[in-house]
């Protein structure tokens, strides 16, 4: 099977790509509109009341230094999910260059020119609108151009809160180890930034003789696009779904739901970090959850039965290079002390403590090892350094913390953790390139995302968890020089989840029931 080229991927996904480009532009335009409507008046105000200038500029600067993911995290409890928190975040990032350039442009106007206008009998407002603003327009527009470029880049994160945009391809590609998908999102985003910057510059030149008019025409034009965006994103569905970027591109995910079950749901793209709370708070009704996630218990969600078996086994096991095991002879024995120590219910309980009770991974890890009579104080070894990696969800943080304490107590190695490495692609690449020494992977992910065998092989080895494990173990050793150590014992598979009350009310217990409900409510 030949590898798909970037051009083939773009042609295949052209409709979806065009939708994402349009969403990306709309998010950028809408946030830029409000940033201009707020930033320009603020810049004018502090140019007249200079004692407030340092405070306003400092505050805008502080807001811009807040990491975008953290800012979205702060906004979700207040504004929910969807375009609104994304637009507010982008607005905040756009404010500083617009306020600063408006202020700088006005105060940079030669004082003698303002004095001459005053001597001619102009009022302060006339001086502002007929003298200072027209002369400051090039500087103000430069700030708008800077804000536009910033917003195009930051808007890729909008997919985390189900606001759409090119981030859906970028983060889906990272999760799925798909370079074509990453480039299909990243290249248009870069081109949009360049074109938008040049476009605003051309607009400025076109209105060179009506510079003041530009400040009112641009926001009005962007506001019209914003209204269109809000109207077109008002989708009315009986079941409102939110799936992760990775789930959307997988055969054991959205593609399988369409092909095997015939589901026609049009889901929002949402981060797994917020989807459980979103379904609990009724922002959405259906999510692509993980069977051992603690929030399933916390939010009383029901995992729908996969009666046609599109989700393969996802048993967790550490993966490590064969060379690494030779380099650190004490490592394999210590890691395998956790073999079969977990069940699904045990992992759900541990995840519940992290996800809902907000206990730290370190405290959960120590309690687990004590309960299983595996805890030993650290030897503070210096025989070499072991680097444990983890993906970016709670279960992986807990497992890496457990392994850190375990290895420090049972080996003479120093142990470091490299947590929050993102999706499968980042973790696996880090392992391949010796940035980490091992991490916990899942057999289904190894099979479908990293190996990608023919469908016939997938169907054959997915029937039994032991067959899946044996196949990925053999293939990883042959292709990558990486071995799968003994499984931990729990199966963290994908599952479609709904609020239990809603599922019972509509008599939905399986994915097939969901399809029937979809047909009855068209």
């Amino acid at each position: 099977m030949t590898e798909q080229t970037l051009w083939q991927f773009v042609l295949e996904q052209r409709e979806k790509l065009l939708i994402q480009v349009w969403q990306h532009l709309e998010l950028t335009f809408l946030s830029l509109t409000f940033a201009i409507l707020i930033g320009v008046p603020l810049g004018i105000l502090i140019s007249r009341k200079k004692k407030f200038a340092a405070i306003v500029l400092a505050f805008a600067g502080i807001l811009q230094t807040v990491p975008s993911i953290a800012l979205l995290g702060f906004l979700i409890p207040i504004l929910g999910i969807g375009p609104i928190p994304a637009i507010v975040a982008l607005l905040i990032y756009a404010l500083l260059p617009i306020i600063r350039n408006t202020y700088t442009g006005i105060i940079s106007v030669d004082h003698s020119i303002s004095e001459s206008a005053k001597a001619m009998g102009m009022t302060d407002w006339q001086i502002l609108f007929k003298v200072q603003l027209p002369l400051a327009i090039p500087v103000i527009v430069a700030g708008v151009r800077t804000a536009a470029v910033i917003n195009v880049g930051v808007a890729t994160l909008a997919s985390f809160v189900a606001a759409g945009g090119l981030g859906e391809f970028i983060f889906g590609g990272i999760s799925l180890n798909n370079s074509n998908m990453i480039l299909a999102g990243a290249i248009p985003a870069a081109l949009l930034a360049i074109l938008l910057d040049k476009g605003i510059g051309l607009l400025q030149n076109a209105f060179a003789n009506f510079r003041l008019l530009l400040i009112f025409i641009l926001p009005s034009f962007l506001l019209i696009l914003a209204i269109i965006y809000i109207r077109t994103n008002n989708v009315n569905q009986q079941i409102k779904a939110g799936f992760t970027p990775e789930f959307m591109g997988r055969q054991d995910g959205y593609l399988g739901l369409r092909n095997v079950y015939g589901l026609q749901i049009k889901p929002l793209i949402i981060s797994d970090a917020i989807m459980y709370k979103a379904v609990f708070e009724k922002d959405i009704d259906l999510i692509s959850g993980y069977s051992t996630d603690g929030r399933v218990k916390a939010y009383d969600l029901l995992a729908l039965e996969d009666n046609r078996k599109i989700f393969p086994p996802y048993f967790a096991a550490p993966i490590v290079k064969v060379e690494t095991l030779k380099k650190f002879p004490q490592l394999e024995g210590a890691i395998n002390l956790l073999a079969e120590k977990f069940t699904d219910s045990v992992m759900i309980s541990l995840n519940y403590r992290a996800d809902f009770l907000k206990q730290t991974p370190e405290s959960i890890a120590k309690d687990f090892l004590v309960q299983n009579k595996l805890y030993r104080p650290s030897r503070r070894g210096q025989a070499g350094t072991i680097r444990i990696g983890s993906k970016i969800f709670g279960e992986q943080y807990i497992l890496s913390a457990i392994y850190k304490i375990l290895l420090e107590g049972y080996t003479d190695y120093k142990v470091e953790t490299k947590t929050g490495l993102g999706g499968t692609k980042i973790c696996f690449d880090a392992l391949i390139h010796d940035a980490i020494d091992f991490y916990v992977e899942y057999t289904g992910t190894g099979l479908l995302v990293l190996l990608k065998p023919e469908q016939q092989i997938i169907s054959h080895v997915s029937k039994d968890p032991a067959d899946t494990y044996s196949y990925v173990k053999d293939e990883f050793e042959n292709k990558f020089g990486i071995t799968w150590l003994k499984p931990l014992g729990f199966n963290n598979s994908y599952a479609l989840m709904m609020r239990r009350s809603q599922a019972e009310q509509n008599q939905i217990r399986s994915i097939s029931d969901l399809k029937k409900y979809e047909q009855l409510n068209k």
Side-chain angles (χ1 to χ4, degrees):
M1 187 167 64
T2 58
E3 187 174 344
Q4 189 180 41
T5 66
L6 174 60
W7 181 244
Q8 289 172 329
F9 179 85
V10 169
L11 287 177
E12 182 183 290
Q13 301 288 332
R14 59 187 179 278
E15 290 183 11
K16 187 176 180 181
L17 180 59
L18 289 173
I19 291 170
Q20 290 186 13
V21 168
W22 182 244
Q23 289 174 337
H24 208 91
L25 280 172
E26 289 169 328
L27 287 169
T28 302
F29 285 152
L30 183 52
S31 59
L32 198 59
T33 299
F34 287 115
I36 292 169
L37 294 175
I38 295 170
V40 171
L42 261 179
I44 292 171
L45 175 65
I46 62 176
S47 73
R48 320 298 280 182
K49 307 288 185 182
K50 291 187 174 62
K51 62 182 178 181
F52 296 116
I55 297 171
V56 171
L57 290 172
F59 183 69
I62 290 169
L63 287 177
Q64 197 172 50
T65 62
V66 177
S68 48
I69 291 291
L71 184 58
L72 287 170
F74 291 138
L75 292 173
I76 288 166
I78 303 167
L79 302 174
I81 63 169
I84 294 176
I87 289 164
V88 171
L90 292 171
L91 158 66
I92 288 170
Y93 283 113
L95 279 177
L96 179 61
I98 293 174
I99 296 172
R100 184 176 55 202
N101 279 40
T102 302
Y103 170 73
T104 303
I106 292 173
I107 66 169
S108 298
V109 173
D110 195 315
H111 186 67
S112 62
I113 296 175
S114 300
E115 286 298 315
S116 298
K118 192 172 184 179
M120 292 172 65
M122 287 186 177
T123 64
D124 287 345
W125 285 105
Q126 287 175 324
I127 293 171
L128 175 65
F129 282 98
K130 293 186 177 182
V131 178
Q132 293 174 329
L133 272 179
L135 292 173
I137 283 292
V139 180
I140 296 172
V141 172
V144 172
R145 292 170 72 171
T146 301
V149 172
I150 290 171
N151 276 14
V152 169
V154 178
T156 55
L157 297 173
S159 62
F160 276 106
V161 291
L166 290 162
E168 291 183 8
F169 269 157
I170 294 171
F171 295 109
I174 290 171
S175 298
L176 291 166
N177 193 27
N178 189 327
S179 299
N180 289 334
M181 190 179 288
I182 296 170
L183 292 172
I187 292 173
L191 291 175
L192 284 180
I194 295 169
L195 293 173
L196 194 56
D197 178 59
K198 297 298 182 185
I200 295 173
L202 290 172
L203 192 62
Q204 178 187 355
N205 294 332
F207 286 95
N209 296 323
F210 306 96
R211 286 177 172 179
L212 194 56
L213 195 61
L214 178 65
I215 238 173
F216 300 103
I217 289 177
L218 186 59
S220 301
F221 171 70
L222 298 180
L223 195 56
I224 291 169
L225 289 177
I227 293 168
I228 296 171
Y229 174 71
I230 292 170
R231 289 174 65 90
T232 55
N233 278 274
N234 237 342
V235 181
N236 184 23
Q237 290 190 104
Q238 289 293 327
I239 294 288
K240 192 174 181 181
F243 296 158
T244 64
E246 180 170 353
F247 188 82
M248 287 296 296
R250 296 175 67 134
Q251 286 296 335
D252 62 328
Y254 182 62
L255 300 178
L257 292 176
R258 290 178 65 90
N259 296 334
V260 178
Y261 286 97
L263 283 177
Q264 299 301 314
I265 289 171
K266 295 179 180 178
L268 300 169
I269 308 300
I270 189 170
S271 166
D272 53 7
I274 64 170
M275 65 181 177
Y276 292 94
K277 191 171 184 182
V279 72
F280 174 71
E281 293 180 347
K282 301 183 180 180
D283 292 319
I284 52 179
D285 304 307
L286 181 73
I287 61 171
S288 55
Y290 306 105
S291 60
T292 60
D293 198 292
R295 288 163 291 190
V296 177
K297 173 183 175 182
Y299 295 138
D300 193 26
L301 303 180
L302 176 68
L304 303 184
E305 180 190 352
D306 174 26
N307 50 301
R308 295 192 181 178
K309 307 298 180 188
I310 67 165
F311 301 133
Y314 277 83
F315 281 86
I319 62 172
V320 58
K321 279 187 173 181
V322 175
E323 294 176 2
T324 302
L325 295 179
K326 293 176 181 177
K327 181 180 178 182
F328 299 100
Q330 301 174 41
L331 185 60
E332 183 172 2
I335 289 176
N336 282 336
L337 289 171
L338 292 182
E340 304 300 331
K341 294 295 183 184
F342 298 82
T343 62
D344 290 1
S345 60
V346 167
M347 200 66 242
I348 289 172
S349 178
L350 297 180
N351 285 330
Y352 176 80
R353 291 174 61 182
D355 296 331
F356 197 71
L357 301 181
K358 306 304 179 186
Q359 297 179 7
T360 64
E362 291 75 18
S363 65
I364 297 169
K366 185 175 180 180
D367 288 347
F368 173 82
L369 291 172
V370 169
Q371 289 170 7
N372 285 273
K373 298 180 180 179
L374 289 172
Y375 176 75
R376 288 183 185 177
S378 173
R379 294 185 187 179
R380 302 187 183 278
Q382 298 294 326
T385 300
I386 300 294
R387 298 154 301 169
I388 307 170
S390 86
K391 299 183 186 181
I392 198 167
F393 54 96
E395 178 172 290
Q396 291 263 320
Y397 283 85
I398 294 168
L399 293 173
S400 65
I402 291 173
Y403 276 117
K404 183 177 190 298
I405 296 172
L406 185 77
L407 294 180
E408 286 177 339
Y410 282 81
T411 72
D412 295 315
Y413 306 130
K414 181 181 177 182
V415 183
E416 295 177 356
T417 55
K418 306 284 186 181
T419 54
L421 293 178
T424 299
K425 177 175 172 58
I426 295 175
C427 269
F428 189 70
D429 285 351
L431 182 64
I432 288 288
H433 296 101
D434 297 318
I436 59 174
D437 294 306
F438 78 92
Y439 76 97
V440 175
E441 191 52 274
Y442 304 89
T443 52
T445 302
L447 176 69
L448 298 172
V449 177
L450 298 172
L451 291 176
K452 302 178 183 177
E454 299 286 349
Q455 185 58 46
Q456 185 179 357
I457 295 174
I458 294 172
S459 301
H460 176 69
V461 302
S462 295
K463 293 177 182 177
D464 183 82
D467 290 342
T468 309
Y469 175 79
S470 296
Y471 179 80
V472 295
K473 180 178 172 64
D474 292 342
E475 290 298 305
F476 267 62
E477 288 182 6
N478 293 334
K479 290 186 176 182
F480 309 119
I482 291 172
T483 189
W484 289 66
L485 300 184
K486 293 180 181 178
L488 298 178
F490 70 91
N491 178 29
N492 185 8
S493 67
Y494 273 123
L496 290 192
M497 297 178 181
M498 300 177 67
R499 294 181 297 279
R500 186 179 298 275
S501 57
Q502 184 186 21
E504 290 175 351
Q505 180 183 344
N506 294 294
Q507 297 183 329
I508 300 173
R509 299 180 184 85
S510 67
I511 303 177
S512 290
D513 291 339
L514 180 65
K515 173 60 181 175
K516 292 175 186 176
Y517 179 85
E518 182 186 53
Q519 289 175 325
L520 290 172
N521 291 275
K522 279 186 176 179

